[in-house]
Amino acid sequence: MSFSLKRVYAIFNKDIKDVSKNMFVLSTVIMPIILAFVFTQSEQVPLGTHYFIINLTFVSITVFVQGAIIAEEKEKNTLRGLMMSPATTIEIITGKSGLSALLTVISLVACMRITGYEFVNEPAIYFAFFMSLILYLAMGTLLGLLTRTVMEASLVLMPLLFVFGMGTLLLEFIANYPNLAFLEYLPNYQLQFLAETVNAGQAFTDVIGYLIVIAAWMVILCILTVVVYRKRVIDGK
Amino acid sequence: MDNILSVKALKQVFSKETAIDNMNFEVKRGEIFGFLGPSGAGKTTTIKILTGQLHPTSGSALLFDVPSTKMNHPKYLKKIGVMTDNSGLYSRLSVYDNLHLYCELYSVENKRKRIDEVLEMVNLIDVKSKIVSKLSKGMLQRVTLSRALLHEPELLFLDEPTSALDPANSRHIHHGLQELNRKGTTIFLTTHDMQEAELLCDRVAFLNNGKVQLLDEPSKLRRKYSDDTLTVELVGGERRILKNGPEGAQKMYEYMSNNQVITMYSNEPTLGDIFVDVTGRSLL
């Protein structure tokens, strides 16, 4: 199957022009940055707080912006035009993910600069961040494909924001309920555990387990996204 | 002429409702094929099946000798152009930006020139830089049509292409479509505008309740359903209906010899009349 960077870039370029005039999406991007400013008021920002902001950025920007972009394409029947063009599934999904990925990276860098977070043992963390970015992009694409309008996508985002974005706060809650221990396998907690392990000076081999769980999330969500997208191509809507 | 499209025993059922039932027809390469029927007759569902947006419950549709279910492969999507009511445009972008995106997706060469050409064809060159959200419904329809033409498809599917247009713009589009057809594009046109069908189509199929009820050239259909009569309007306003044959000819000779004829016309039915005759339904 061919892959055309020109087509991917055309879709990405279109999204930049389109979203630059979309205040609803743009205003969402500022939220984690404001939160980062609020948390820098305390002298020492704990690691849990850094990852609370990082995970919130993934959900509120990566998932929401991606979901909103896809849901709007569906709402306005423009996704059908892309599906009916010679662009392949992978080209469309990659092109449609470019803007959300760019906004996520900018926001993450801005938030980390504000809160003063610095990576230790960079390769493991970079790798985990990269996989998290892909999995949250896939989650956002799914959100957009499974909802009919931007408004519906915003509503469905709320529980996702609670489960995937409220890291530290939920961890304390989970500790009191052993039955909810499985929630620790969510990718946001795995990312935080990985960072804690790395910060404690452990070796790369000690974080492999976390990387595998995050990778599993990434693979499952990517497969689900492609399956749902291909079903949408022939749903006749 | 070979067939570019061939439909056999096509059936589409949604839940328990049959939208298309045992549909059979063929479209010849290079013709303008009219698919006529009232709202809800199954026109749009048929286009969705033919363009790979929907897989049929049973039966088959072959385009370029390839099953319609394989049509959403990029190789085949380049050969078809589709304009339906679900072809949306990016409302925050200009007309030019919308078309430019599709030029990139279809790898169209000389993009600016081609965009100007298609906009000329739909009479919208003056609004090239205008934001889509500022356009009227008729203009939006024309931009969508121009988008379907960008890559010069071999087979063009048009779902009610002039339904929101005024007569002048409809005429402009009709000329454009005839010109496109002369250059070799096969056009599959759904409409409930019988005048449009008479003007453009080489052959028409009447669709009712998901079935093709009748299929032929418009002129042949009119002759077939004609009652072989002529109306003659005489001096004084009197109208006479004359039957084809010696008796009618004799009467006509008399009227003409006495300078009584003001006007006369054939009583051939319109496609709309035939549709009502065959299906018992009106087209709206």
Side-chain angles (χ1 to χ4, degrees):
Chain A
M1 191 184 281
S2 66
F3 182 84
S4 162
L5 267 179
K6 263 183 123 178
R7 278 200 278 264
V8 171
Y9 180 70
I11 297 170
F12 170 68
N13 198 28
K14 186 279 298 173
D15 275 346
I16 289 197
K17 283 183 188 168
D18 202 17
V19 170
S20 66
K21 294 170 188 167
N22 186 345
M23 288 315 291
F24 181 58
V25 168
L26 283 180
S27 58
T28 318
V29 176
I30 306 165
M31 199 178 80
I33 297 173
I34 295 174
L35 210 66
F37 269 116
V38 172
F39 280 106
T40 48
Q41 300 308 308
S42 56
E43 281 180 14
Q44 183 77 36
V45 181
L47 192 68
T49 306
H50 285 302
Y51 275 84
F52 168 63
I53 294 169
I54 287 165
N55 283 320
L56 197 72
T57 305
F58 276 129
V59 184
S60 65
I61 298 184
T62 323
V63 179
F64 177 67
V65 171
Q66 181 70 0
I69 287 174
I70 302 282
E72 190 181 28
E73 291 260 12
K74 274 182 72 189
E75 189 177 352
K76 296 188 172 171
N77 284 325
T78 46
L79 189 60
R80 177 57 61 191
L82 293 180
M83 288 171 167
M84 293 300 296
S85 79
T88 61
T89 304
I90 300 301
E91 285 166 357
I92 294 172
I93 293 177
T94 310
K96 294 297 307 171
S97 303
L99 179 69
S100 318
L102 181 70
L103 289 175
T104 305
V105 171
I106 292 171
S107 299
L108 280 175
V109 170
C111 289
M112 287 177 196
R113 284 278 169 93
I114 294 164
T115 56
Y117 177 65
E118 281 173 23
F119 289 159
V120 187
N121 189 359
E122 288 178 7
I125 298 274
Y126 276 132
F127 195 41
F129 268 66
F130 175 73
M131 287 195 295
S132 298
L133 178 65
I134 304 291
L135 82 86
Y136 286 112
L137 282 170
M139 195 185 287
T141 308
L142 266 179
L143 172 71
L145 288 172
L146 295 172
T147 52
R148 285 166 300 181
T149 62
V150 178
M151 204 47 76
E152 200 177 308
S154 312
L155 282 175
V156 176
L157 181 79
M158 292 304 155
L160 293 178
L161 198 64
F162 184 72
V163 175
F164 294 95
M166 299 290 165
T168 324
L169 305 179
L170 265 188
L171 269 180
E172 287 165 16
F173 179 73
I174 292 169
N176 297 326
Y177 297 91
N179 289 343
L180 295 177
F182 69 92
L183 289 175
E184 290 180 0
Y185 288 96
L186 291 174
N188 46 335
Y189 299 131
Q190 293 295 307
L191 183 64
Q192 187 171 332
F193 297 154
L194 182 144
E196 283 167 359
T197 311
V198 167
N199 261 30
Q202 304 289 316
F204 186 80
T205 46
D206 296 315
V207 297
I208 283 180
Y210 302 125
L211 288 173
I212 288 173
V213 176
I214 296 172
W217 274 93
M218 180 185 75
V219 171
I220 290 168
L221 283 170
C222 285
I223 291 172
L224 260 178
T225 302
V226 172
V227 169
V228 172
Y229 178 89
R230 290 203 168 142
K231 275 194 90 174
R232 285 280 172 268
V233 172
I234 54 162
D235 70 357
K237 287 175 189 157
Chain B
M1 229 188 301
D2 62 330
N3 294 328
I4 198 165
L5 169 59
S6 171
V7 172
K8 283 195 183 102
L10 199 68
K11 186 170 185 168
Q12 182 66 48
V13 180
F14 294 116
S15 301
K16 285 177 184 169
E17 194 186 330
T18 304
I20 294 174
D21 191 10
N22 192 28
M23 185 182 279
N24 296 282
F25 66 88
E26 276 140 11
V27 176
K28 294 169 186 166
R29 192 177 288 276
E31 75 174 340
I32 301 184
F33 184 85
F35 206 55
L36 318 180
S39 303
K43 303 190 295 283
T44 305
T45 303
T46 308
I47 285 196
K48 283 179 177 171
I49 292 174
L50 298 180
T51 54
Q53 298 178 57
L54 194 63
H55 286 184
T57 309
S58 63
S60 72
L62 298 178
L63 292 87
F64 316 103
D65 294 325
V66 174
S68 63
T69 49
K70 307 252 186 252
M71 225 8 77
N72 38 44
H73 189 282
K75 185 165 75 177
Y76 303 118
L77 287 170
K78 276 185 181 170
K79 292 182 167 192
I80 63 170
V82 187
M83 179 213 166
T84 63
D85 58 353
N86 69 355
S87 314
L89 296 163
Y90 295 102
S91 57
R92 294 185 205 95
L93 302 188
S94 68
V95 170
Y96 178 84
D97 283 340
N98 266 278
L99 297 180
H100 191 266
L101 168 67
Y102 279 83
C103 281
E104 292 283 6
L105 296 179
Y106 282 94
S107 308
V108 173
E109 288 175 6
N110 297 323
K111 296 176 183 63
R112 281 175 188 275
K113 186 171 167 260
R114 184 64 190 147
I115 289 171
D116 285 352
E117 279 171 6
V118 292
L119 286 178
E120 290 276 10
M121 193 189 141
V122 297
N123 205 16
L124 277 182
I125 193 75
D126 297 338
V127 300
K128 190 163 86 169
S129 311
K130 217 171 176 180
I131 299 298
V132 162
S133 61
K134 309 269 183 213
L135 301 181
S136 68
K137 198 179 168 197
M139 285 174 167
L140 288 174
Q141 196 170 20
R142 283 184 280 158
V143 178
T144 313
L145 173 60
S146 68
R147 194 181 72 184
L149 305 175
L150 274 174
H151 59 293
E152 298 178 82
E154 278 181 52
L155 175 57
L156 184 61
F157 290 92
L158 301 176
D159 193 4
E160 310 269 0
T162 57
S163 61
L165 305 189
D166 57 74
N169 276 313
S170 291
R171 245 195 321 273
H172 195 89
I173 298 291
H174 292 157
H175 287 147
L177 292 177
Q178 284 169 325
E179 187 55 38
L180 204 67
N181 179 245
R182 265 193 289 276
K183 287 180 184 168
T185 303
T186 307
I187 299 175
F188 184 96
L189 171 82
T190 78
T191 181
H192 60 249
D193 180 343
M194 292 295 137
Q195 282 180 326
E196 182 171 79
E198 298 227 32
L199 177 75
L200 296 176
C201 299
D202 298 306
R203 289 190 308 143
V204 293
F206 284 168
L207 188 67
N208 189 36
N209 293 329
K211 285 184 177 169
V212 172
Q213 303 269 354
L214 208 59
L215 194 163
D216 213 331
E217 293 170 26
S219 58
K220 285 186 182 167
L221 284 175
R222 279 197 308 272
R223 277 201 298 277
K224 186 178 170 188
Y225 284 86
S226 164
D227 59 1
D228 261 2
T229 62
L230 196 71
T231 297
V232 185
E233 206 170 309
L234 304 173
V235 174
E238 192 185 350
R239 281 183 190 178
R240 291 286 169 87
I241 294 173
L242 303 181
K243 187 98 178 139
N244 191 19
E247 201 178 315
Q250 179 64 36
K251 283 274 183 199
M252 179 64 96
Y253 178 75
E254 279 172 30
Y255 297 142
M256 291 184 87
S257 307
N258 297 326
N259 276 339
Q260 283 183 288
V261 177
I262 296 174
T263 183
M264 62 178 128
Y265 44 85
S266 148
N267 288 334
E268 268 186 358
T270 63
L271 288 181
D273 296 333
I274 300 169
F275 187 89
V276 174
D277 205 24
V278 172
T279 66
R281 279 180 79 178
S282 103
L283 272 158
L284 297 173

